[in-house]
Structures are given as C-alpha cells and as structure tokens.
Amino acid sequence: MAAAQTTRTTGFLRTLLSRCPAPRPPGRHRGLSSLPPPPPGAWSSDVSRLPHRELYRLSIHNPDRFWGSAAVDRLRWVEPFHRVRDCDLSTGRISWFLGGKLNVSVNCLDVHVETHPDRVALIWERDEPGTEVKVTYRELLETTCRLANTLKSHGIQKGDRVAVYMPVSPLAVAAMLACARIGAVHTVVFAGFSSEALAGRIQDAQCKAVVTCNEGVRGGRVIPLKPTVDAAVRSCPTVQHVFVSQRTDNPTVMGDLDVPLEEVMTSQPPVCPPEAMDSEDLLFLLYTSGSTGKPKGVVHTQAGYLLYASLTHQYVFDYRDGDVFGCVADVGWITGHSYVVYGPLCNGATTVLFESTPVYPDPGRYWETVQRLRINQFYGAPTALRLLLKYDDGWVKKYDRSSLKTLGSVGEPINHEAWYWFHSVVGDGRCPLVDTWWQTETGGICIAPRPADEGAPIVPAMAMRPFFGIQPVLMGEKGERLSGNGVSGALCLSQPWPGMARTIYGDHQRFVEAYLKPFPGCYFTGDGAHRSEDGYYQITGRMDDVINVSGHRLGTAEIEDALDEHPAVPETAVIGIPHGIKGEVPFAFVVLKEEFDDDSLVILQQLRELVASKIAKYAVPDHFLVVKRLPKTRSGKIMRRILKNVAMETADDLGDVSTLDDPSVVKEIIEAYEQHRKQEDKP
Ligand code: PRX
C-alpha cells in the first residue's frame, strides 16, 4: 500500500465553508431551531444540585421525576412529552418520553449555534500529526444541512436506512447528523469490515443508500474503501445511491450508483429544516455480535438515547463547559456514537475525532496529541494502553499532559498493570481514572466510578458504581437474586433506563430471548460480575460465546460459520484465549475431511483468508489446531470448556468429563495440541 498522500478534505471543507453565507440570526427560518429555549424546569432548579448519592436515590425511587425533569431541561422539544415512560421488561415494551417530538441534530447543533456559533465542535486529528482540522458549530451545522439536503434530493426520506462506511471524520459525523436531521436511520459500519460483512448489514437493514470515502488513511497507509463498497452493493438491490467522499487525491472509478459527495454538497443550500421526530422513532441501528452467527441490528431511538448519552458524558467524565473531550474510538462502534458524537455534541463540547493509531508515527502519538490539542478528558481502550506501556515511559513524559483532568477506559476489562500505568504515568497520579462498563445495547455508560462525586474513592480497575437510573442485580445459577455483598453472578439491570436498546431490528423475539427471558423482569447483560464487600461492581467477563478482541466484540459462532463454509471443513469450534495486548484472541479447532489431511497447511491459509473476507481481518484466529473430532456431549453439544483447558494448557484440571459422548477424545486433542506445539517450537 502506498504512503499517505496529501489530502483534499481540508481544502474541501474550507472551500465549502467559505462559500457559505453568514449565519442566519436564530429564528429567521421556520424549523425547530426557531423555537424559544424551554423554561428552566425542575432539573436545573433543584434536581441537578443534589449531591450524587441523592441524585442516584431519586433516579431509582422516582425515575419519572428524575428523567422527566432532565429531559425537559436538557433537551429542546418541538412538542412536549406527556408521559415519562411506559416500560415492561417482560415483553420488551420500552418507551420513554411518550408523545414528545424533537430533533437530535437540533439538540447537537442548532442550540449551540445560537449561543456560541464559533466554538469548535470537532477537532479532526488526522493521521499525519500536526494537520488537524477544526470545525466550528456553525460550520458543522452548515455541512450537516448540505449533506442532509444532498440525501433528500436523492430521494432519502424519513425512516429510510442509510449505511455509513467511513472512518472517523467531520463528514462521517455530518452524515450521521444529516440522517438525524431528516429522520433517516443511520447504520455506521466499521470501515474495517469486509465487503460481505458490510453487505450482510446493508441487506438486513435494507439500506437505500451508502455514504463512504474513496479511501481511508491510517498509520501512514492508504486503505481502499470504495472497492469494498462496490463489491458489497452488488448483492444489495435496495441500494439506490452510493455517496462517495474524496478523502485522498487518488482517482476513484465512479459507477452508475455513485454520487460525488463534496461536489453535490457544494451546490446544496446550507440550511435544512429539521424533521420533528417522535421520541421513539429510530435514530440508528448498530450491528453487534451475539452468540449466534448473525450480527444483531441493535436499535436506538431519539430522545432517551440522546439524554442518556449527554448525561453520562457530563457526569462520568466530569465534563465542564469549554473542555476538549478526547475519545479515541472509531465512529463504527457504540463508543464513537455516544462519546465522540452524540454525548459531547449535545453538551456543546469540543470533541476530538482521532483518525490515526496509538503508535503512528511513534508510541508518543496519543500524548503528543493531548499536548497539541490541550485535551481535558482522554477516553480509550485498555488494549492500546497494554501496547503502549511496553515502550519507555519517556514517550509519555516528553509531552505536556497538564491539560488532562479525567482519564477513562472502555470496552474490556482493564488489568491492574494497565490501570496503574495510565493513572500514574499518563495522569501523573493526579487525574481520576474511570473504568466504564457498558455495551452497544445499553447506549451509554452504566457502571463507572463517577469522578464528579467529590471525594468518592476510586478503586483501581473496577467499574464500581451504577450510574443514575441503573439498578444492577446479580443472579445465581437457578435464577435467584443474590443478595448481600461478596457475591458473584450474572449481571442484570432490573430497571429500564432511557438509553437502553429498544429491540433488534426486524427481530423483536430475538431481543426478548437474548436479554429479557434469561432472568424474567430484568435486562440480562451477558456479563458476569462480582459485588465486593464494599458493594462495588467488578465485571468478570462474558458468560456467553462472545469474545473481546482488542476491545472489539466478536461472536465465536460468526467465526465458526465463516470457517465452516470451506468445503474441506465439516466442523469447527472457536474459543477465546487470553492475550497480553489484545485481551483475547480466537483459537480455532478445525476438523478436516480425511481426504484433505495432507493439505492442511494450504487449507489453514485459505481459512484465514476466508474469515478476513467474510468478517474482518481482526477476526482471523491467531491459532488453528487440526483435530480429528470435537469433544461433544451425548446430546451433541460441543464442550468448549475442554477446548479452553487444552488451549490454555490447563488440561491437568479438566473437571467433570463424564457427560462426554466419548471421553477418549480428550486425549486425542491433547496429543494433537502437543504435536502442534512441538512443530511451532522448531526453529
Ligand atoms: O463484556 C463487556 C465488555 O464489552 C462488552 C460490550 O461490548 P460492546 O457492545 O462492543 O461495547 C463496547 C463499548 C462499550 C460488555 O458486555 N466491556 C465493556 N466495557 C467493559 C467491559 N468489560 C469489562 N470492563 C469494562 N469496563
């Protein structure tokens, strides 16, 4: 791949924005932004001033008052809601702010343009250090409106689904907000996913359009994106247009469906009346892995999601007006949705869009960025910290990090070594470090230490305390509630909260089965947790067949489905095993048809390519072991526990194997593993 070329987007944004007329005074054109701000309600006058502990108590005992006043005061409504919530966790009927109408893009843009149009909304930290682009709230509103008008002029209407296949950039944010403005539903697909994975998501959501870039730029490399989209849309008859942004100067072959995004946007008006959306209309779908082979389209709606993202953003990170908020996640994941885009923008923050990698051009990249952009909150994944702490601390210390006030960790358990390094080396021991636990389905942070709670101690490497409105319960093996402290069980949340997913797109039954049926009356997270003697929560990991590779969630069944497509492979089993930097990596046990035994090396290479092409490169198993058969119970269920013991070299302690159909299979697999290790050790 070629090294990164000079890019055009900066030029485009500047040209585009310099052509924009002066901002209109608020209220000159009809639309939501012309409405007067709501009168101050209970939230600002009394609720928000309560100490945290009391706020939490109120949120649990009187959720209607807590969330109702927060929604009135923090969001701008076109029509007020008449009921705070109507939820039944046994059927999955979850509605918040009933009857209310609002527009999310107005809450993220117009309201701030009225008060501080020239505040920087986005700092696009591009791959090449020192080439950042700043976009003000006024500029972002205008760019969003031009993009919204572009979508509208190509027939995209309220309720239509639009796939966004782009790395993080101002145009990716504008594409999300443009959908929100016109009432279309965006589904951002991480730009590292393969064409098949993209196609599967477009088909499931029946997207009418795709917004993409010609290429991405990351770690000094140019990554082709348009060819991936071209291959995907060939099997997606619902797609009528592909809007292509030019991230680089390299020429792009344009086909019948393709629309040059910047070119068309320039001729569109910079004003677009916002659609009045019902609180419970869909805002976005985000596909995530579950325990079956098919990713689920998690559905988030308008008001509840936005309110929850903004409240958590403010309280968990102690965000203060004027702070520069640096979340280094990609917009392709929920962290990017809630803490790069919606939470910070709803709060009028300056939010950083980080396009690069933690080690480009060197391992000081994050901290050089902190110094240059004067970042106040830094939110990242443990996997990057584990990678960085292996380098000399000088890579951190040489940069000025005095702007930092809060550090945050997300996506996977943070080990003690990474926590202490982040806290003491990066934060010089003076910044609260919050381990935040949440999920795509929860919409926002659910368990975190909450540094704004003055004086509350933070226990290292622990998510600790539930956020407002979150009531964690731990369940035992028989479905009983575990009371008291010092207990471990299945982590459930027993009260609905406004940010929670409403359903799985097109499959409400799957939503109910996966989250609400396992422990009736509660939302089951799929994670296990321990409640310490002090009553704090420690996440102990997934209880299902979902693994977490470098903070990316993967279903082992998805990988198995991809492997099983190979004609030489009748059966596979994939498990996750610990990895020093990535957290976990997939380990695949593969059964080959007898006639292919001699070709195993070739086949394994084909299997790697198959997984990369069906899912993504990060899903390719780090380890493969060819076995004659898999350990199964008499009812035919694969006993993954045994495979895990073998792969982690703890086979001395296999536990009960009496339910195996043929226990001799264990010896066979151990021998295959030992043989494999011997070959690996050969020079
Ligand atoms: O297992 C938990 C783990 O990541 C899962 C959610 O993954 P995803 O939906 O991709 O969202 C990631 C970003 C929020 C959870 O079920 N996880 C997330 N945060 C933590 C965590 N595990 C331990 N500690 C955390 N702080």
Side-chain angles (χ1 to χ4, degrees), residues 335 411-413 435-440 527 539 542 548 553:
T335 310
E412 45 174 330
D435 175 16
T436 63
W437 174 89
W438 59 297
Q439 312 177 298
T440 304
D527 281 312
I539 310 302
R542 297 289 307 192
N548 198 319
R553 185 164 148 181

Side-chain angles (χ1 to χ4, degrees), residues 93-156:
R93 186 183 73 242
I94 304 154
S95 294
W96 285 83
F97 311 118
L98 288 83
K101 285 195 191 295
L102 79 174
N103 184 281
V104 164
S105 80
V106 166
N107 279 281
C108 290
L109 300 172
D110 307 48
V111 293
H112 309 306
V113 172
E114 286 168 20
T115 51
H116 40 72
D118 296 322
R119 178 180 288 181
V120 174
L122 312 176
I123 307 180
W124 183 22
E125 174 61 10
R126 301 187 333 148
D127 195 48
E128 202 53 46
T131 66
E132 74 273 12
V133 174
K134 294 182 176 169
V135 181
T136 66
Y137 271 93
R138 178 175 58 82
E139 291 169 334
L140 183 58
L141 173 59
E142 290 171 359
T143 308
T144 298
C145 286
R146 287 179 193 272
L147 217 160
N149 286 326
T150 304
L151 295 176
K152 264 178 39 178
S153 66
H154 286 79
I156 313 294

Side-chain angles (χ1 to χ4, degrees), residues 9-29:
T9 311
T10 332
F12 158 69
L13 263 178
R14 290 283 153 245
T15 324
L16 179 79
L17 299 166
S18 64
R19 282 184 212 163
C20 296
R24 286 163 185 268
R28 225 179 90 193
H29 52 90

Side-chain angles (χ1 to χ4, degrees), residues 52 154 396 458 585 660:
H52 269 237
H154 286 79
V396 183
I458 293 182
V585 288
L660 275 176

Side-chain angles (χ1 to χ4, degrees), residues 45 90 134 244 259 344 410 438 519 590:
S45 57
S90 52
K134 294 182 176 169
V244 187
V259 179
V410 59
W438 59 297
F519 300 96
V590 178

